[in-house]
Amino acid sequence: MKICVIGTGYVGLVAGTCLADMGNNVICVDNNEEKLKLLEQGIIPIYEPGLEELVKSNTAEKRLEFSSDLAEAVKKSEVCFIAVGTPQREDGSADLSYVFEVAEEIARAMNGYKVIVDKSTVPVGTAEKVTEIIRKNTTYDFDVVSNPEFLKQGNAVDDFLLPDRVVIGSNSARATAIMQEIYSPYLRTANRIVIMDVKSAEMTKYAANSFLATKISFMNEIAALCEKVGANAEMVRIGMATDGRIGNKFLFPGVGYGGSCFPKDVKALIQTGSEHGCEMMIVEAVDKVNKRQKANFVKKITKRFGENLNGKAFALWGLAFKPKTNDMREAPSIYIVEELLKRGAKVVGYDPKAMDTAKTIFGGRIEYAKNSYEALRGADAMLLLTEWNEFRRPDYDKMGNLLRQKIIFDGRNQYDRTKLESKGFEYHNIGEKEE
């Protein structure tokens, strides 16, 4: 099938590449000429395991191409995926201006029936607005479909090629059949396509992400109470996770969630509720707990060292919001770094993939280490903020020799207290009472 994907950000690039890998002819469209030149050379602007290899192989096979000519791409395609950004406005709502601009451009370029797919995360009612815009600018027949993405950063290629489910929101039998044909190669062992109306599909994306964020914030709130009453949050987590009704995913206490989806989608759902006179009390609490969790981690540091951190140095292991990505959007590390700098601390950061991203955020206000151990040299404490695999089993003796003070603040509950304390470390984590 001939497909164009408009927008080569995280969602668009992964979707376009994976669709091409299943034999479709895909044109990925973007207005950033420099970015397109890099993509044509196989240089990927984001870190996502497996993506670079797929881009190179499908480009070589001429199933995947990149273009800045949106009109020409639309004319050549049967299906047009809109995968542009929907950034968060100050009030928490999604800015849909890019979606609407692209919709109008698609309409003006149409030369026959098209299926226009909202792949971007958009609030309920967006497909109706896109339909209105297209109808005003073309006489050709078309259908607008909602096909939300459920890609986990760090595992996005596998998530697309081996999806848990594919949600298709469509009010047209013709468009539904075309979408089922596109996704049929990914679902040969089981039919996980879920067909529903457009508005329900739009809501499903926000509901799913907000529920996962709720699990994280709930566990973080339980961990905060564990610290007060003397319970162990890890033991509580295990006790909860073994209940089949609850499950073991997204129940790890930590410094809070981040990334491009959870924070934005939670706020957008709150705003949608507000616009329709429906107070989203649980979702609002999820957002508040997440903000508090970051602040609580800083409080652990200031409780130990005092509010004035002049002369103190901190080594940060991990800057990305999660492992296997260089994405730092809404990463807890940003808040924590800013609070440390505000109090006069020296900060040295290291992340396996997010160093360049961090430099665009912090500039020269922090130092950047070449590796995890270099970051420790002369530091008063190490702060673990991202649970990269390479941080899981460090050389504790080497760490102790490099640190000025053998202190660890574990924001991901990754280490064993008994082992660390046997080696003379002072250990602070999430969800255990501290004497």
Side-chain angles (χ1 to χ4, degrees):
M1 190 169 291
K2 295 179 180 179
I3 297 169
C4 69
V5 179
I6 300 154
T8 61
Y10 184 85
V11 172
L13 185 57
V14 172
T17 302
C18 290
L19 288 168
D21 200 55
M22 280 296 168
N24 298 292
N25 293 314
V26 180
I27 304 171
C28 284
V29 180
D30 205 289
N31 58 10
N32 186 328
E33 296 278 3
E34 186 177 338
K35 184 180 183 181
L36 292 175
K37 288 178 182 177
L38 292 173
L39 287 169
E40 287 169 353
Q41 299 169 43
I43 301 171
I44 312 301
I46 58 174
Y47 175 73
E48 183 61 43
L51 182 59
E52 182 177 339
E53 294 82 358
L54 287 183
V55 169
K56 288 180 177 178
S57 63
N58 284 284
T59 302
E61 293 293 331
K62 301 192 183 305
R63 288 190 298 265
L64 178 65
E65 61 180 290
F66 300 96
S67 173
S68 60
D69 192 338
L70 186 150
E72 186 63 22
V74 170
K75 286 181 170 64
K76 290 181 177 179
S77 302
E78 302 162 68
V79 181
C80 304
F81 284 79
I82 300 177
V84 294
T86 54
Q88 181 181 300
R89 289 196 178 102
E90 287 187 12
D91 64 359
S93 64
D95 182 350
L96 300 175
S97 57
Y98 299 123
V99 172
F100 296 154
E101 286 172 16
V102 166
E104 185 172 338
E105 288 187 62
I106 290 173
R108 294 185 186 282
M110 284 171 60
N111 57 351
Y113 174 77
K114 309 286 180 184
V115 177
I116 292 92
V117 184
D118 282 337
K119 195 69 176 169
S120 303
T121 300
V122 294
V124 176
T126 301
E128 286 184 346
K129 295 175 182 176
V130 168
T131 299
E132 290 173 11
I133 290 169
I134 296 174
R135 190 171 287 131
K136 287 178 182 177
N137 290 281
T138 188
T139 56
Y140 289 104
D141 195 15
F142 67 94
D143 285 302
V144 177
V145 170
S146 175
N147 176 219
E149 56 85 15
F150 298 97
L151 307 178
K152 298 186 295 293
Q153 288 179 257
N155 201 58
V157 171
D158 285 345
D159 284 345
F160 199 101
L161 297 176
L162 300 167
D164 292 327
R165 81 289 201 196
V166 174
V167 173
I168 296 173
S170 171
N171 300 329
S172 158
R174 182 180 183 183
T176 299
I178 290 171
M179 294 300 293
Q180 286 177 307
E181 182 183 346
I182 289 174
Y183 281 108
S184 59
Y186 305 102
L187 305 162
R188 293 184 67 187
T189 57
N191 185 6
R192 299 187 181 90
I193 294 179
V194 184
I195 307 294
M196 59 182 73
D197 64 276
V198 173
K199 286 189 175 181
S200 294
E202 291 172 329
M203 179 59 80
T204 295
K205 168 67 174 180
Y206 284 103
N209 277 354
S210 295
F211 182 75
L212 296 176
T214 299
K215 291 185 75 173
I216 295 170
S217 282
F218 181 85
M219 194 64 229
N220 280 334
E221 193 159 48
I222 293 297
L225 184 58
C226 286
E227 292 180 7
K228 299 292 185 183
V229 303
N232 185 316
E234 177 60 13
M235 296 296 100
V236 175
R237 183 192 70 79
I238 293 169
M240 292 173 61
T242 47
D243 186 327
R245 297 168 300 175
I246 297 173
N248 60 7
K249 295 181 178 179
F250 293 88
L251 276 184
F252 292 90
V255 286
Y257 59 75
S260 61
C261 293
F262 287 4
K264 182 166 72 75
D265 292 356
V266 165
K267 291 183 177 70
L269 192 57
I270 293 169
Q271 181 62 23
T272 298
S274 176
E275 290 171 1
H276 291 82
C278 181
E279 185 180 4
M280 306 299 289
M281 297 171 67
I282 292 175
V283 185
E284 286 178 7
V286 168
D287 185 46
K288 289 178 182 176
V289 170
N290 194 57
K291 291 174 181 174
R292 187 179 69 183
Q293 197 67 11
K294 301 171 193 176
N296 284 346
F297 191 74
V298 174
K299 286 179 183 177
K300 288 178 180 288
I301 298 167
T302 56
K303 181 180 178 182
R304 174 60 179 80
F305 291 103
E307 285 290 334
N308 187 344
L309 297 177
N310 277 307
K312 301 296 180 185
F314 297 92
L316 272 59
W317 279 14
L319 297 166
F321 85 93
K322 64 178 285 188
K324 297 184 182 180
T325 181
N326 61 349
D327 196 341
M328 286 184 62
R329 284 175 287 183
E330 299 284 342
S333 63
I334 297 175
Y335 174 87
I336 292 164
V337 167
E338 295 294 351
E339 290 299 309
L340 294 175
L341 293 176
K342 191 187 300 181
R343 291 167 173 80
K346 173 187 173 183
V347 176
V348 183
Y350 173 73
D351 188 285
K353 295 296 178 182
M355 298 294 275
D356 289 340
T357 308
K359 288 173 184 176
T360 66
I361 296 169
F362 303 122
R365 294 184 297 142
I366 72 170
E367 295 180 13
Y368 305 92
K370 294 179 181 178
N371 57 60
S372 56
Y373 291 108
E374 182 184 277
L376 301 176
R377 194 177 302 278
D380 292 282
M382 185 274 273
L383 280 53
L384 179 73
L385 300 183
T386 315
E387 63 276 33
W388 286 92
N389 284 340
E390 67 181 71
F391 299 156
R392 289 187 181 277
R393 296 186 180 275
D395 184 331
Y396 295 124
D397 294 329
K398 186 174 182 178
M399 291 178 70
N401 290 331
L402 289 168
L403 285 164
R404 184 187 300 167
Q405 300 186 63
K406 296 169 71 171
I407 303 174
I408 291 177
F409 290 87
D410 184 353
R412 298 297 177 184
N413 284 9
Q414 185 166 278
Y415 301 124
D416 181 85
R417 175 183 294 279
T418 303
K419 182 180 288 187
L420 280 169
E421 290 181 345
S422 72
K423 290 184 173 291
F425 280 86
E426 181 183 319
Y427 181 65
H428 304 266
N429 66 344
I430 310 291
E432 279 191 275
K433 189 172 185 178
E434 299 184 1
E435 303 300 330

